[in-house]
Amino acid sequence: LFADDQQIKPSSIVQGNRTLMHRYQFGFSRLFEQGFNTRLYYEISQTAISGASGALVTVPTWFDTKPTLELTIPLFRNLFGVETAANRVMKESLVQMSQHLDNYKLKSILSQSEIAYWKVSVAREVLDALKISLDRARKIRDWSASRVRLGLGDASDEYQAEAALRIRELEVQTAEDDLKSSTRLFSSFLEKSSDKVDYEFVSASG
């Protein structure tokens, strides 16, 4: 607290023409559940008078110090600590709600990461199966082309084998894209940004 009184007073010889006052407080307070509020603090005040007669005011600057203990008892709003208890219950409820939300988020993340894991596992198995089918289609195409060159087969058989090969190639390309997408999603749960399959996965078919 700071105060500065510079008014000209009729008795300025005694009171001076300027009074400066500084006040400091330090301590602690505690609010009990019953609603009682206690404060224990130490107060230091400094007063300085300017313009007063030195003969009448021999000490123009002085200090006052005093310890103070205050006890506040509410009569209406927080009688018997009703409001304090309600605030405590509300804070505890907010903490519990926050904990439940955190648990829900954690379970949700774990569930999503598990789904992403099995998507990668299934995508890998599908791709492996399609690669086998592609290799078989390539061999059939080569066999049909060889028969046509030897005059043992019809050209239409070669065309059909070639078309089947192109379909298998498109299926493999689509499966590779799906695997990259699934791996990228799973890697995001590991805080990585990679679409390469460099993890060991359990087979989805057991």
Side-chain angles (χ1 to χ4, degrees), residues 129-155:
L130 289 176
K131 284 183 176 180
I132 295 175
S133 179
L134 173 62
D135 184 64
R136 186 181 299 114
R138 185 177 289 111
K139 291 179 178 179
I140 293 175
R141 190 278 312 271
D142 294 342
W143 179 76
S144 298
S146 176
R147 284 177 55 83
V148 171
R149 285 195 302 270
L150 295 175
L152 300 176
D154 191 0

PDB file of all heavy atoms in Angstrom, residues 129-155:
ATOM      1  N   ALA A 129      -0.686 -63.916 -51.737  1.00  0.00           N
ATOM      2  CA  ALA A 129      -1.539 -64.830 -52.519  1.00  0.00           C
ATOM      3  C   ALA A 129      -1.689 -64.341 -53.950  1.00  0.00           C
ATOM      4  O   ALA A 129      -1.657 -65.143 -54.902  1.00  0.00           O
ATOM      5  CB  ALA A 129      -2.904 -64.959 -51.852  1.00  0.00           C
ATOM      6  N   LEU A 130      -1.847 -63.040 -54.132  1.00  0.00           N
ATOM      7  CA  LEU A 130      -2.008 -62.489 -55.478  1.00  0.00           C
ATOM      8  C   LEU A 130      -0.723 -62.610 -56.291  1.00  0.00           C
ATOM      9  O   LEU A 130      -0.767 -62.795 -57.523  1.00  0.00           O
ATOM     10  CB  LEU A 130      -2.443 -61.030 -55.408  1.00  0.00           C
ATOM     11  CG  LEU A 130      -3.888 -60.802 -54.931  1.00  0.00           C
ATOM     12  CD1 LEU A 130      -4.178 -59.305 -54.799  1.00  0.00           C
ATOM     13  CD2 LEU A 130      -4.879 -61.445 -55.901  1.00  0.00           C
ATOM     14  N   LYS A 131       0.422 -62.520 -55.633  1.00  0.00           N
ATOM     15  CA  LYS A 131       1.689 -62.691 -56.355  1.00  0.00           C
ATOM     16  C   LYS A 131       1.831 -64.118 -56.869  1.00  0.00           C
ATOM     17  O   LYS A 131       2.350 -64.357 -57.969  1.00  0.00           O
ATOM     18  CB  LYS A 131       2.858 -62.333 -55.438  1.00  0.00           C
ATOM     19  CG  LYS A 131       3.040 -60.839 -55.238  1.00  0.00           C
ATOM     20  CD  LYS A 131       4.258 -60.539 -54.365  1.00  0.00           C
ATOM     21  CE  LYS A 131       4.487 -59.043 -54.245  1.00  0.00           C
ATOM     22  NZ  LYS A 131       5.668 -58.723 -53.390  1.00  0.00           N
ATOM     23  N   ILE A 132       1.373 -65.080 -56.067  1.00  0.00           N
ATOM     24  CA  ILE A 132       1.394 -66.481 -56.524  1.00  0.00           C
ATOM     25  C   ILE A 132       0.472 -66.655 -57.730  1.00  0.00           C
ATOM     26  O   ILE A 132       0.816 -67.318 -58.719  1.00  0.00           O
ATOM     27  CB  ILE A 132       0.977 -67.410 -55.368  1.00  0.00           C
ATOM     28  CG1 ILE A 132       2.014 -67.362 -54.240  1.00  0.00           C
ATOM     29  CG2 ILE A 132       0.804 -68.845 -55.871  1.00  0.00           C
ATOM     30  CD1 ILE A 132       1.620 -68.155 -53.004  1.00  0.00           C
ATOM     31  N   SER A 133      -0.715 -66.024 -57.639  1.00  0.00           N
ATOM     32  CA  SER A 133      -1.661 -66.099 -58.756  1.00  0.00           C
ATOM     33  C   SER A 133      -1.101 -65.419 -59.994  1.00  0.00           C
ATOM     34  O   SER A 133      -1.290 -65.894 -61.118  1.00  0.00           O
ATOM     35  CB  SER A 133      -2.985 -65.448 -58.345  1.00  0.00           C
ATOM     36  OG  SER A 133      -3.922 -65.485 -59.416  1.00  0.00           O
ATOM     37  N   LEU A 134      -0.377 -64.300 -59.804  1.00  0.00           N
ATOM     38  CA  LEU A 134       0.237 -63.606 -60.936  1.00  0.00           C
ATOM     39  C   LEU A 134       1.305 -64.470 -61.591  1.00  0.00           C
ATOM     40  O   LEU A 134       1.390 -64.539 -62.839  1.00  0.00           O
ATOM     41  CB  LEU A 134       0.855 -62.288 -60.444  1.00  0.00           C
ATOM     42  CG  LEU A 134       1.682 -61.510 -61.472  1.00  0.00           C
ATOM     43  CD1 LEU A 134       0.818 -61.079 -62.652  1.00  0.00           C
ATOM     44  CD2 LEU A 134       2.343 -60.290 -60.816  1.00  0.00           C
ATOM     45  N   ASP A 135       2.107 -65.131 -60.789  1.00  0.00           N
ATOM     46  CA  ASP A 135       3.149 -65.995 -61.343  1.00  0.00           C
ATOM     47  C   ASP A 135       2.528 -67.152 -62.124  1.00  0.00           C
ATOM     48  O   ASP A 135       3.025 -67.535 -63.203  1.00  0.00           O
ATOM     49  CB  ASP A 135       4.007 -66.528 -60.201  1.00  0.00           C
ATOM     50  CG  ASP A 135       5.167 -67.358 -60.706  1.00  0.00           C
ATOM     51  OD1 ASP A 135       6.047 -66.796 -61.407  1.00  0.00           O
ATOM     52  OD2 ASP A 135       5.208 -68.561 -60.410  1.00  0.00           O
ATOM     53  N   ARG A 136       1.397 -67.672 -61.619  1.00  0.00           N
ATOM     54  CA  ARG A 136       0.720 -68.769 -62.327  1.00  0.00           C
ATOM     55  C   ARG A 136       0.138 -68.257 -63.647  1.00  0.00           C
ATOM     56  O   ARG A 136       0.234 -68.946 -64.688  1.00  0.00           O
ATOM     57  CB  ARG A 136      -0.382 -69.338 -61.435  1.00  0.00           C
ATOM     58  CG  ARG A 136      -1.051 -70.573 -62.034  1.00  0.00           C
ATOM     59  CD  ARG A 136      -2.146 -71.097 -61.136  1.00  0.00           C
ATOM     60  NE  ARG A 136      -1.641 -71.492 -59.836  1.00  0.00           N
ATOM     61  CZ  ARG A 136      -1.953 -70.886 -58.708  1.00  0.00           C
ATOM     62  NH1 ARG A 136      -2.759 -69.829 -58.725  1.00  0.00           N
ATOM     63  NH2 ARG A 136      -1.462 -71.300 -57.565  1.00  0.00           N
ATOM     64  N   ALA A 137      -0.433 -67.051 -63.639  1.00  0.00           N
ATOM     65  CA  ALA A 137      -0.998 -66.492 -64.867  1.00  0.00           C
ATOM     66  C   ALA A 137       0.089 -66.217 -65.899  1.00  0.00           C
ATOM     67  O   ALA A 137      -0.126 -66.391 -67.111  1.00  0.00           O
ATOM     68  CB  ALA A 137      -1.750 -65.204 -64.548  1.00  0.00           C
ATOM     69  N   ARG A 138       1.257 -65.804 -65.449  1.00  0.00           N
ATOM     70  CA  ARG A 138       2.369 -65.549 -66.377  1.00  0.00           C
ATOM     71  C   ARG A 138       2.833 -66.856 -67.026  1.00  0.00           C
ATOM     72  O   ARG A 138       3.144 -66.890 -68.238  1.00  0.00           O
ATOM     73  CB  ARG A 138       3.512 -64.866 -65.630  1.00  0.00           C
ATOM     74  CG  ARG A 138       4.665 -64.461 -66.548  1.00  0.00           C
ATOM     75  CD  ARG A 138       5.754 -63.709 -65.786  1.00  0.00           C
ATOM     76  NE  ARG A 138       5.294 -62.369 -65.394  1.00  0.00           N
ATOM     77  CZ  ARG A 138       5.063 -62.009 -64.142  1.00  0.00           C
ATOM     78  NH1 ARG A 138       5.239 -62.883 -63.153  1.00  0.00           N
ATOM     79  NH2 ARG A 138       4.644 -60.785 -63.874  1.00  0.00           N
ATOM     80  N   LYS A 139       2.886 -67.918 -66.236  1.00  0.00           N
ATOM     81  CA  LYS A 139       3.297 -69.207 -66.788  1.00  0.00           C
ATOM     82  C   LYS A 139       2.271 -69.723 -67.796  1.00  0.00           C
ATOM     83  O   LYS A 139       2.641 -70.312 -68.838  1.00  0.00           O
ATOM     84  CB  LYS A 139       3.485 -70.222 -65.660  1.00  0.00           C
ATOM     85  CG  LYS A 139       4.685 -69.927 -64.763  1.00  0.00           C
ATOM     86  CD  LYS A 139       4.804 -70.952 -63.648  1.00  0.00           C
ATOM     87  CE  LYS A 139       6.027 -70.670 -62.780  1.00  0.00           C
ATOM     88  NZ  LYS A 139       6.151 -71.647 -61.654  1.00  0.00           N
ATOM     89  N   ILE A 140       0.976 -69.512 -67.511  1.00  0.00           N
ATOM     90  CA  ILE A 140      -0.072 -69.943 -68.444  1.00  0.00           C
ATOM     91  C   ILE A 140       0.014 -69.150 -69.750  1.00  0.00           C
ATOM     92  O   ILE A 140      -0.133 -69.708 -70.853  1.00  0.00           O
ATOM     93  CB  ILE A 140      -1.460 -69.796 -67.799  1.00  0.00           C
ATOM     94  CG1 ILE A 140      -1.614 -70.773 -66.635  1.00  0.00           C
ATOM     95  CG2 ILE A 140      -2.565 -69.999 -68.827  1.00  0.00           C
ATOM     96  CD1 ILE A 140      -2.900 -70.624 -65.856  1.00  0.00           C
ATOM     97  N   ARG A 141       0.269 -67.856 -69.635  1.00  0.00           N
ATOM     98  CA  ARG A 141       0.407 -67.031 -70.837  1.00  0.00           C
ATOM     99  C   ARG A 141       1.590 -67.504 -71.680  1.00  0.00           C
ATOM    100  O   ARG A 141       1.487 -67.641 -72.930  1.00  0.00           O
ATOM    101  CB  ARG A 141       0.567 -65.575 -70.415  1.00  0.00           C
ATOM    102  CG  ARG A 141       0.492 -64.536 -71.568  1.00  0.00           C
ATOM    103  CD  ARG A 141       1.798 -64.362 -72.318  1.00  0.00           C
ATOM    104  NE  ARG A 141       2.949 -64.187 -71.442  1.00  0.00           N
ATOM    105  CZ  ARG A 141       3.377 -62.993 -70.996  1.00  0.00           C
ATOM    106  NH1 ARG A 141       2.774 -61.897 -71.377  1.00  0.00           N
ATOM    107  NH2 ARG A 141       4.465 -62.951 -70.210  1.00  0.00           N
ATOM    108  N   ASP A 142       2.729 -67.759 -71.022  1.00  0.00           N
ATOM    109  CA  ASP A 142       3.910 -68.222 -71.756  1.00  0.00           C
ATOM    110  C   ASP A 142       3.649 -69.588 -72.404  1.00  0.00           C
ATOM    111  O   ASP A 142       4.087 -69.840 -73.552  1.00  0.00           O
ATOM    112  CB  ASP A 142       5.106 -68.312 -70.814  1.00  0.00           C
ATOM    113  CG  ASP A 142       5.540 -66.948 -70.296  1.00  0.00           C
ATOM    114  OD1 ASP A 142       5.150 -65.931 -70.913  1.00  0.00           O
ATOM    115  OD2 ASP A 142       6.259 -66.896 -69.266  1.00  0.00           O
ATOM    116  N   TRP A 143       2.939 -70.456 -71.705  1.00  0.00           N
ATOM    117  CA  TRP A 143       2.638 -71.786 -72.245  1.00  0.00           C
ATOM    118  C   TRP A 143       1.712 -71.672 -73.452  1.00  0.00           C
ATOM    119  O   TRP A 143       1.903 -72.352 -74.478  1.00  0.00           O
ATOM    120  CB  TRP A 143       2.018 -72.643 -71.157  1.00  0.00           C
ATOM    121  CG  TRP A 143       1.637 -74.019 -71.614  1.00  0.00           C
ATOM    122  CD1 TRP A 143       2.450 -75.084 -71.840  1.00  0.00           C
ATOM    123  CD2 TRP A 143       0.312 -74.459 -71.892  1.00  0.00           C
ATOM    124  NE1 TRP A 143       1.747 -76.179 -72.265  1.00  0.00           N
ATOM    125  CE2 TRP A 143       0.409 -75.819 -72.299  1.00  0.00           C
ATOM    126  CE3 TRP A 143      -0.944 -73.860 -71.857  1.00  0.00           C
ATOM    127  CZ2 TRP A 143      -0.717 -76.581 -72.660  1.00  0.00           C
ATOM    128  CZ3 TRP A 143      -2.051 -74.628 -72.207  1.00  0.00           C
ATOM    129  CH2 TRP A 143      -1.937 -75.968 -72.605  1.00  0.00           C
ATOM    130  N   SER A 144       0.695 -70.785 -73.351  1.00  0.00           N
ATOM    131  CA  SER A 144      -0.232 -70.602 -74.476  1.00  0.00           C
ATOM    132  C   SER A 144       0.475 -70.003 -75.672  1.00  0.00           C
ATOM    133  O   SER A 144       0.235 -70.415 -76.828  1.00  0.00           O
ATOM    134  CB  SER A 144      -1.398 -69.701 -74.043  1.00  0.00           C
ATOM    135  OG  SER A 144      -2.140 -70.281 -73.001  1.00  0.00           O
ATOM    136  N   ALA A 145       1.354 -69.041 -75.438  1.00  0.00           N
ATOM    137  CA  ALA A 145       2.095 -68.428 -76.541  1.00  0.00           C
ATOM    138  C   ALA A 145       3.005 -69.449 -77.209  1.00  0.00           C
ATOM    139  O   ALA A 145       3.162 -69.454 -78.449  1.00  0.00           O
ATOM    140  CB  ALA A 145       2.906 -67.244 -76.021  1.00  0.00           C
ATOM    141  N   SER A 146       3.605 -70.341 -76.428  1.00  0.00           N
ATOM    142  CA  SER A 146       4.474 -71.369 -76.987  1.00  0.00           C
ATOM    143  C   SER A 146       3.683 -72.335 -77.854  1.00  0.00           C
ATOM    144  O   SER A 146       4.134 -72.757 -78.936  1.00  0.00           O
ATOM    145  CB  SER A 146       5.174 -72.126 -75.850  1.00  0.00           C
ATOM    146  OG  SER A 146       5.956 -73.185 -76.358  1.00  0.00           O
ATOM    147  N   ARG A 147       2.478 -72.704 -77.436  1.00  0.00           N
ATOM    148  CA  ARG A 147       1.642 -73.617 -78.233  1.00  0.00           C
ATOM    149  C   ARG A 147       1.228 -72.973 -79.546  1.00  0.00           C
ATOM    150  O   ARG A 147       1.170 -73.635 -80.588  1.00  0.00           O
ATOM    151  CB  ARG A 147       0.401 -74.017 -77.417  1.00  0.00           C
ATOM    152  CG  ARG A 147       0.704 -75.046 -76.337  1.00  0.00           C
ATOM    153  CD  ARG A 147      -0.539 -75.340 -75.522  1.00  0.00           C
ATOM    154  NE  ARG A 147      -1.667 -75.752 -76.343  1.00  0.00           N
ATOM    155  CZ  ARG A 147      -1.861 -76.995 -76.777  1.00  0.00           C
ATOM    156  NH1 ARG A 147      -0.981 -77.961 -76.487  1.00  0.00           N
ATOM    157  NH2 ARG A 147      -2.928 -77.290 -77.498  1.00  0.00           N
ATOM    158  N   VAL A 148       0.950 -71.638 -79.493  1.00  0.00           N
ATOM    159  CA  VAL A 148       0.566 -70.960 -80.725  1.00  0.00           C
ATOM    160  C   VAL A 148       1.732 -70.926 -81.702  1.00  0.00           C
ATOM    161  O   VAL A 148       1.570 -71.139 -82.921  1.00  0.00           O
ATOM    162  CB  VAL A 148       0.067 -69.536 -80.418  1.00  0.00           C
ATOM    163  CG1 VAL A 148      -0.118 -68.738 -81.724  1.00  0.00           C
ATOM    164  CG2 VAL A 148      -1.246 -69.592 -79.653  1.00  0.00           C
ATOM    165  N   ARG A 149       2.933 -70.686 -81.198  1.00  0.00           N
ATOM    166  CA  ARG A 149       4.100 -70.646 -82.072  1.00  0.00           C
ATOM    167  C   ARG A 149       4.383 -72.015 -82.711  1.00  0.00           C
ATOM    168  O   ARG A 149       4.868 -72.104 -83.839  1.00  0.00           O
ATOM    169  CB  ARG A 149       5.331 -70.183 -81.280  1.00  0.00           C
ATOM    170  CG  ARG A 149       5.319 -68.698 -80.983  1.00  0.00           C
ATOM    171  CD  ARG A 149       6.704 -68.228 -80.528  1.00  0.00           C
ATOM    172  NE  ARG A 149       7.167 -68.941 -79.339  1.00  0.00           N
ATOM    173  CZ  ARG A 149       6.927 -68.541 -78.088  1.00  0.00           C
ATOM    174  NH1 ARG A 149       6.216 -67.436 -77.877  1.00  0.00           N
ATOM    175  NH2 ARG A 149       7.383 -69.232 -77.066  1.00  0.00           N
ATOM    176  N   LEU A 150       4.057 -73.086 -81.972  1.00  0.00           N
ATOM    177  CA  LEU A 150       4.279 -74.434 -82.496  1.00  0.00           C
ATOM    178  C   LEU A 150       3.104 -74.934 -83.328  1.00  0.00           C
ATOM    179  O   LEU A 150       3.144 -76.067 -83.871  1.00  0.00           O
ATOM    180  CB  LEU A 150       4.541 -75.411 -81.338  1.00  0.00           C
ATOM    181  CG  LEU A 150       5.814 -75.161 -80.530  1.00  0.00           C
ATOM    182  CD1 LEU A 150       5.887 -76.112 -79.341  1.00  0.00           C
ATOM    183  CD2 LEU A 150       7.050 -75.335 -81.412  1.00  0.00           C
ATOM    184  N   GLY A 151       2.056 -74.117 -83.437  1.00  0.00           N
ATOM    185  CA  GLY A 151       0.891 -74.513 -84.228  1.00  0.00           C
ATOM    186  C   GLY A 151       0.030 -75.534 -83.531  1.00  0.00           C
ATOM    187  O   GLY A 151      -0.777 -76.209 -84.189  1.00  0.00           O
ATOM    188  N   LEU A 152       0.162 -75.612 -82.181  1.00  0.00           N
ATOM    189  CA  LEU A 152      -0.613 -76.590 -81.427  1.00  0.00           C
ATOM    190  C   LEU A 152      -1.807 -75.966 -80.704  1.00  0.00           C
ATOM    191  O   LEU A 152      -2.605 -76.696 -80.102  1.00  0.00           O
ATOM    192  CB  LEU A 152       0.293 -77.283 -80.389  1.00  0.00           C
ATOM    193  CG  LEU A 152       1.497 -78.027 -80.961  1.00  0.00           C
ATOM    194  CD1 LEU A 152       2.357 -78.583 -79.828  1.00  0.00           C
ATOM    195  CD2 LEU A 152       1.035 -79.153 -81.889  1.00  0.00           C
ATOM    196  N   GLY A 153      -1.925 -74.672 -80.736  1.00  0.00           N
ATOM    197  CA  GLY A 153      -2.999 -74.003 -80.008  1.00  0.00           C
ATOM    198  C   GLY A 153      -3.617 -72.888 -80.820  1.00  0.00           C
ATOM    199  O   GLY A 153      -3.079 -72.463 -81.856  1.00  0.00           O
ATOM    200  N   ASP A 154      -4.750 -72.397 -80.329  1.00  0.00           N
ATOM    201  CA  ASP A 154      -5.468 -71.320 -81.004  1.00  0.00           C
ATOM    202  C   ASP A 154      -4.976 -69.977 -80.464  1.00  0.00           C
ATOM    203  O   ASP A 154      -4.679 -69.840 -79.277  1.00  0.00           O
ATOM    204  CB  ASP A 154      -6.965 -71.484 -80.764  1.00  0.00           C
ATOM    205  CG  ASP A 154      -7.771 -70.553 -81.658  1.00  0.00           C
ATOM    206  OD1 ASP A 154      -7.160 -69.803 -82.434  1.00  0.00           O
ATOM    207  OD2 ASP A 154      -9.015 -70.560 -81.551  1.00  0.00           O
ATOM    208  N   ALA A 155      -4.912 -68.951 -81.322  1.00  0.00           N
ATOM    209  CA  ALA A 155      -4.469 -67.618 -80.904  1.00  0.00           C
ATOM    210  C   ALA A 155      -5.397 -67.022 -79.857  1.00  0.00           C
ATOM    211  O   ALA A 155      -4.977 -66.214 -79.020  1.00  0.00           O
ATOM    212  CB  ALA A 155      -4.371 -66.702 -82.115  1.00  0.00           C
TER     213      ALA A 155
END
